[in-house]
Amino acid sequence: MSNSKLYKGSLTTIILKLLNEHDKMYGYEITQHVKALTKGELKITEGALYPALHKLEAEGLLDVEVAKVDNRLRKYYKLTETGTKETVNKLEELAEYIKTMQALVNPKLA
Amino acid sequence: MSNSKLYKGSLTTIILKLLNEHDKMYGYEITQHVKALTKGELKITEGALYPALHKLEAEGLLDVEVAKVDNRLRKYYKLTETGTKETVNKLEELAEYIKTMQALVNPKLA
DNA sequence: TCTTATACATAAGAAAATTATGTATATATT
DNA sequence: AATATATACATAATTTTCTTATGTATAAGA
């Protein structure tokens, strides 16, 4: 994912946020999108992505819809109602995390 | 540590940064300091802290010095030269992480 | 023909945490 | 005096989340 360990725990937030913007996306599309948005900084590996998607689906945050494009399989994921609510929570948690870390790392500005 | 999973992977950064500011600290002091700085938002658990300190020591980033205060044991940790250099790296990684996540979460500002 | 890209998946192992438990002393409360 | 809380360390079992490696299959490009 990156040389930095800080990304541990943020994959779910990333997935939910992308799906919140794009209505529906398939796994490979997510990896390419993240790579482009971060200019190659962040590469989502398949070993991390697919289990994460399956888990979110099992938790009822995502719905899946299978499609065949160019004779190749695609699994389109989209947010459920619960997933949309959880996206809001995750984004709040991210904002809170950044705020907290900045308080620790830059206490003079607190 | 917190209800948010985002803190996973940031404990080392937090420890190094605090030691970079305070010259020497002992474990319990670190937990109290973090709790105070974050107004209770972030509680470092002992099960996470002590193994992390031992690992940093084993890696040569921290030196330890045992003291007895009020008949109780304290282990003071301080940065080695290598540890000081690594602190700079970790803080750069944190800044980079925040930048990357904001690009993902708030692409309009990118 | 061979490599790269697209598209999914899982399994073994590592890393970093949580949760639970243990030891011991000092101080505050009932 | 007894009990609870605070101080101060530690580790073990388990869980979560990731990396790395591997597998299947089609399409496109060199």
Side-chain angles (χ1 to χ4, degrees):
Chain A
M1 205 163 167
S2 156
N3 58 316
S4 164
K5 287 161 191 170
L6 294 169
Y7 291 94
K8 226 181 233 296
S10 37
L11 180 54
T12 295
T13 305
I14 293 171
I15 294 171
L16 292 179
K17 172 60 183 173
L18 288 183
L19 286 173
N20 196 57
E21 280 174 336
H22 291 90
D23 186 54
K24 69 175 185 175
M25 294 180 92
Y26 56 100
Y28 185 77
E29 188 184 11
I30 291 175
T31 67
Q32 299 309 301
H33 215 82
V34 167
K35 197 158 83 176
L37 274 175
T38 65
K39 287 148 193 164
E41 238 280 307
L42 191 55
K43 284 166 195 164
I44 308 293
T45 59
E46 297 154 300
L49 178 66
Y50 292 115
L53 287 172
H54 300 162
K55 196 187 172 213
L56 289 170
E57 192 198 342
E59 289 168 348
L61 304 190
L62 301 185
D63 273 340
V64 70
E65 180 199 325
V66 180
K68 199 146 198 175
V69 179
D70 287 334
N71 204 33
R72 264 200 245 91
L73 191 74
R74 278 187 193 172
K75 285 195 172 176
Y76 281 100
Y77 290 92
K78 64 163 57 185
L79 293 176
T80 61
E81 219 174 298
T82 314
T84 302
K85 283 176 197 160
E86 187 57 19
T87 303
V88 177
N89 292 335
K90 290 290 182 192
L91 291 178
E92 279 169 2
E93 280 179 10
L94 177 61
E96 188 64 32
Y97 169 82
I98 290 174
K99 219 177 94 186
T100 299
M101 288 302 283
Q102 265 161 355
L104 285 170
V105 152
N106 220 334
K108 289 134 203 163
L109 304 177
Chain B
M1 204 163 167
S2 156
N3 58 317
S4 163
K5 287 162 190 167
L6 295 168
Y7 291 94
K8 239 177 226 290
S10 37
L11 181 55
T12 295
T13 305
I14 293 170
I15 293 171
L16 292 179
K17 172 59 183 175
L18 288 182
L19 286 173
N20 196 56
E21 280 174 337
H22 292 91
D23 187 54
K24 70 174 184 177
M25 294 181 93
Y26 56 100
Y28 185 77
E29 189 184 11
I30 291 175
T31 65
Q32 299 309 301
H33 214 83
V34 168
K35 199 158 80 176
L37 273 176
T38 65
K39 287 150 193 160
E41 237 280 307
L42 192 55
K43 283 167 195 163
I44 307 292
T45 59
E46 297 153 301
L49 178 66
Y50 292 115
L53 287 171
H54 300 161
K55 197 190 172 207
L56 289 171
E57 192 198 345
E59 289 168 348
L61 304 190
L62 300 184
D63 274 339
V64 70
E65 181 200 325
V66 179
K68 198 145 198 179
V69 180
D70 288 334
N71 204 33
R72 263 199 244 92
L73 190 75
R74 277 186 192 173
K75 287 196 172 177
Y76 280 100
Y77 290 92
K78 65 163 56 184
L79 292 177
T80 61
E81 219 172 297
T82 314
T84 303
K85 284 175 197 162
E86 186 56 19
T87 303
V88 177
N89 292 335
K90 290 290 182 192
L91 291 179
E92 279 170 0
E93 280 179 11
L94 177 60
E96 189 63 35
Y97 169 81
I98 290 173
K99 218 176 94 187
T100 300
M101 287 303 283
Q102 266 161 355
L104 285 170
V105 153
N106 219 334
K108 289 134 202 164
L109 305 177

